């Protein structure tokens, strides 16, 4: 092998080492981004669960109040009595 070949090989190896280092940095950055995105999704999931439970609770309370209103309306209706 001539010195020119060794020089070219050395340059290619240096370039590959730089490329691997760059890829490792980018990978670490992407892993951080992914971790943060997953954390945001988890927070949103928790919020959605709370909102869904709140919606269910409100619906239940409204249905209960409507049931009570129906009872009041039944009490206010005049009763017909059969006369023989």
């Amino acid at each position: 092998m001539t010195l020119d070949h060794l020089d070219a090989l050395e340059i290619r190896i240096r370039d590959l080492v730089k490329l691997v280092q760059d890829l490792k940095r980018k990978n670490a950055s992407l892993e951080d981004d992914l971790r943060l995105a997953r954390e945001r999704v988890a927070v949103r999931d928790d919020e959605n669960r709370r909102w869904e439970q709140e919606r269910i609770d409100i619906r239940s309370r409204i249905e209960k109040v409507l049931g009570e209103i129906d009872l009041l309306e039944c009490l206010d209706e005049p009763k017909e009595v059969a006369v023989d």
Side-chain angles (χ1 to χ4, degrees):
M1 231 194 224
T2 66
L3 288 178
D4 290 337
H5 286 113
L6 284 175
D7 288 341
L9 181 59
E10 185 179 350
I11 289 170
R12 288 181 66 190
I13 289 173
R14 257 192 252 126
D15 290 344
L16 285 173
V17 168
K18 287 180 188 176
L19 177 63
V20 168
Q21 289 171 341
D22 287 343
L23 291 173
K24 283 183 178 183
R25 277 193 294 274
K26 288 179 184 178
N27 187 47
S29 176
L30 290 171
E31 285 177 352
D32 286 342
D33 291 348
L34 179 60
R35 181 184 49 77
L36 291 173
R38 285 180 174 161
E39 288 173 3
R40 286 193 303 270
V41 166
V43 167
R44 296 299 180 265
D45 283 346
D46 289 343
E47 289 174 355
N48 288 341
R49 276 192 286 279
R50 281 195 313 269
W51 290 338
E52 180 63 21
Q53 186 58 51
E54 183 177 333
R55 186 188 70 78
I56 290 168
D57 293 344
I58 289 171
R59 181 181 182 129
S60 174
R61 291 175 69 185
I62 289 172
E63 288 173 351
K64 181 179 176 186
V65 168
L66 289 175
E68 291 172 358
I69 289 172
D70 285 344
L71 284 175
L72 286 176
E73 289 175 355
C74 289
L75 294 176
D76 289 342
E77 293 176 4
K79 305 279 189 273
E80 293 185 19
V81 177
V83 178
D84 290 329

